[in-house]
Amino acid sequence: QVQLVESGGGLVQAGGSLRLSCTASGRTFSRYAMGWFRQAPGKEREFVAAISGGGITTDYADSMKGRFTISRDNAKNTVYLQMNSLKPEDTAVYYCGGSTIYDRVLNNPDYWGQGTQVTVSS
């Protein structure tokens, strides 16, 4: 039983920054790799970033690398997504996901949060 809750979404102007948080229930958070995904209206879900349970390994989609940074604080059962230089194209619902298998958080995690809306105005 793992429950994930995202927060930190909102409205921001192009070029601005936003930090999303995803907090998990349970006592074994460090055993879970975590990832971020997003989905815009009329578009397919796309991978954003992933991080291993210990925080040593990270992966980013090419379009996000250099602008977005994923990190985690296992003591707080939380994974973060720092988003800088935001563009209108970044507007989407952002979801976090988790799995004990790292490759799963690159595609289809076993556990999902409800999502948080990010809107970037121009």
Side-chain angles (χ1 to χ4, degrees), residues 50-118:
I51 188 168
S52 61
I56 298 174
T57 301
T58 58
D59 286 285
Y60 298 90
D62 288 342
S63 62
M64 288 78 168
K65 191 172 185 178
R67 297 192 300 125
F68 292 6
T69 302
I70 189 170
S71 62
R72 66 191 296 158
D73 186 341
N74 288 342
K76 296 182 177 180
N77 274 27
T78 300
V79 62
Y80 304 95
L81 183 68
Q82 178 67 47
M83 305 185 293
N84 299 324
S85 302
L86 284 164
K87 307 173 182 179
E89 307 92 271
D90 295 318
T91 295
V93 177
Y94 284 71
Y95 300 89
C96 67
S99 176
T100 57
I101 307 299
Y102 184 76
D103 284 351
R104 295 275 185 87
V105 300
L106 301 175
N107 297 287
N108 189 27
D110 297 314
Y111 303 94
W112 291 95
Q114 294 179 316
T116 185
Q117 177 72 48
V118 172

